Amino acid sequence: MRRREFITLLGGASAAWPLGARAQQPAKLPTIGFLGAATPSADTLWTAAFAHRLRELGWIEGRTVAVEYRWAEGRSERFAEIAAEFVRLKVGVIVSMRRRRSLPQRRPHQSSRSYSH
């Protein structure tokens, strides 16, 4: 191979290398923002169920979808702050899981009346 051909080949390869490297970079995964009301340890079952259902639907965390988890740690004033962070991160959807506060349980009234026929 002549020197000129070698330099041309080397120059063409080095010019095409950045294009090939960019083409090989993985595409950005669709991202879900998961906003938990409590703490990760308190919501372990809920997050496991969420990830399980995603898998059932064909979404594999880290492969076909990214999930950003954030926790309000029982402070509802953090919801707006976390939602704003998700907007900055450009998540595709925000999932919020909040437990209903326990309502006081009422006991059924027991009647002491007796009915006779």
Side-chain angles (χ1 to χ4, degrees):
M1 185 183 298
R2 287 188 245 158
R3 181 178 176 179
R4 186 173 291 175
E5 291 171 348
F6 177 74
I7 292 173
T8 303
L9 177 65
L10 185 62
S14 65
W17 178 73
L19 298 174
R22 265 184 269 152
Q24 293 176 0
Q25 291 177 352
K28 187 174 186 242
L29 297 175
T31 305
I32 298 171
F34 184 96
L35 195 165
T39 62
S41 60
D43 288 338
T44 302
L45 294 176
W46 290 104
T47 53
F50 175 70
H52 179 74
R53 184 61 179 144
L54 284 176
R55 283 191 303 277
E56 287 179 343
L57 295 170
W59 297 96
I60 301 169
E61 194 172 342
R63 288 188 185 173
T64 58
V65 67
V67 181
E68 292 287 338
Y69 292 94
R70 299 294 184 274
W71 305 97
E73 298 176 351
R75 299 186 344 232
S76 59
E77 67 273 8
R78 293 207 56 218
F79 288 173
E81 171 190 331
I82 294 169
E85 181 182 358
F86 285 152
V87 170
R88 282 191 302 278
L89 291 172
K90 297 182 180 176
V91 301
V93 64
I94 298 173
V95 175
S96 176
M97 193 278 302
R98 189 174 110 178
R99 293 185 199 159
R100 297 176 81 185
R101 294 191 187 261
S102 297
L103 298 174
Q105 295 288 326
R106 291 193 305 174
R107 290 185 175 182
H109 295 290
Q110 293 181 355
S111 175
S112 58
R113 297 180 193 169
S114 62
Y115 296 97
S116 59
H117 297 277

